[in-house]
Amino acid sequence: MKTKKRNKKRVILFLISVALIPILITIYEVIFTDDESVVFLGNYNSKIAIIVISYYVLLLGLGVYWFIRQLIFIAKLKSEQSKVELMLLKSQVSPHFFFNMLNNLYGLVSKDVGKAQELILKLSDLMRYSIYESESETVTLKEEVDYLKNYIELHKMRYHKCKLPQTRTA
């Protein structure tokens, strides 16, 4: 990382020093010639004039290249920002679901303690997966299927469409 920063500083220093060369030549002409006005490349050999003009064209090209790279970088940042905002919106859906489930579990505890315990375990598995496993780049198919099963069973309880089997014990 430090090497990249050093190289970048060297390149910037080189470009600044290269950009100063024509300015220093012009200043030299103004100070040390007897001409009242200095015409750019007026007294130079045509080969030197071509080299100086090529130099300015190169500087202009580098400037345009840098500007385009900055625009691409800004576009990538905006894309990343959109992705982060989408992830934030996705994460906001889960808390609503969890709060509803907790309210349903609160009502279920007084009616059926065993079923409430089963659902609490399923909800904790679901939360564990959402918090820890969803941030990893890959998950196993079994983990994903278990997550979906828990999610479906919790929704079934939420809408009271079927009774959950007692499959897991604490």
Side-chain angles (χ1 to χ4, degrees):
M1 188 70 176
K2 290 182 180 181
T3 307
K4 286 184 179 182
K5 286 185 178 182
R6 284 185 189 152
N7 288 340
K8 190 174 182 179
K9 286 181 181 179
R10 288 179 185 164
V11 168
I12 290 171
L13 186 61
F14 173 75
L15 290 175
I16 290 172
S17 63
V18 168
L20 288 176
I21 291 172
I23 295 169
L24 293 175
I25 291 171
T26 306
I27 291 171
Y28 173 80
E29 285 183 350
V30 169
I31 294 173
F32 294 106
T33 60
D34 293 332
D35 297 337
E36 290 182 14
S37 67
V38 176
V39 177
F40 185 67
L41 301 176
N43 297 328
Y44 286 102
N45 184 342
S46 61
K47 291 179 183 177
I48 294 176
I50 290 173
I51 291 172
V52 172
I53 290 173
S54 300
Y55 172 78
Y56 279 119
V57 169
L58 176 67
L59 282 180
L60 180 65
L62 287 173
V64 169
Y65 173 74
W66 175 83
F67 184 72
I68 290 172
R69 286 200 43 165
Q70 294 301 312
L71 290 177
I72 291 170
F73 180 72
I74 289 170
K76 285 182 181 178
L77 279 177
K78 286 185 179 181
S79 173
E80 287 293 321
Q81 181 183 9
S82 297
K83 288 178 185 177
V84 168
E85 287 173 356
L86 180 61
M87 287 175 49
L88 178 65
L89 288 174
K90 284 182 179 180
S91 71
Q92 289 176 351
V93 173
S94 297
H96 178 72
F97 170 77
F98 288 133
F99 284 124
N100 282 344
M101 287 308 304
L102 288 173
N103 284 332
N104 288 339
L105 286 169
Y106 178 78
L108 186 63
V109 166
S110 63
K111 296 176 187 172
D112 188 353
V113 175
K115 188 174 178 182
Q117 289 175 340
E118 176 70 23
L119 291 173
I120 289 170
L121 285 175
K122 290 188 180 303
L123 186 62
S124 70
D125 287 343
L126 196 72
M127 291 175 72
R128 186 176 300 109
Y129 181 87
S130 295
I131 293 170
Y132 299 114
E133 300 300 327
S134 66
E135 292 189 12
S136 64
E137 290 188 25
T138 58
V139 293
T140 65
L141 184 59
K142 182 186 181 323
E143 290 172 335
E144 190 72 20
V145 168
D146 289 343
Y147 172 80
L148 292 173
K149 283 181 181 178
N150 284 341
Y151 188 76
I152 290 169
E153 289 180 21
L154 287 169
H155 267 290
K156 285 180 181 177
M157 186 281 300
R158 185 173 170 201
Y159 295 110
H160 308 290
K161 292 190 177 178
C162 71
K163 292 187 177 187
L164 290 173
Q166 296 276 340
T167 57
R168 185 173 172 185
T169 58

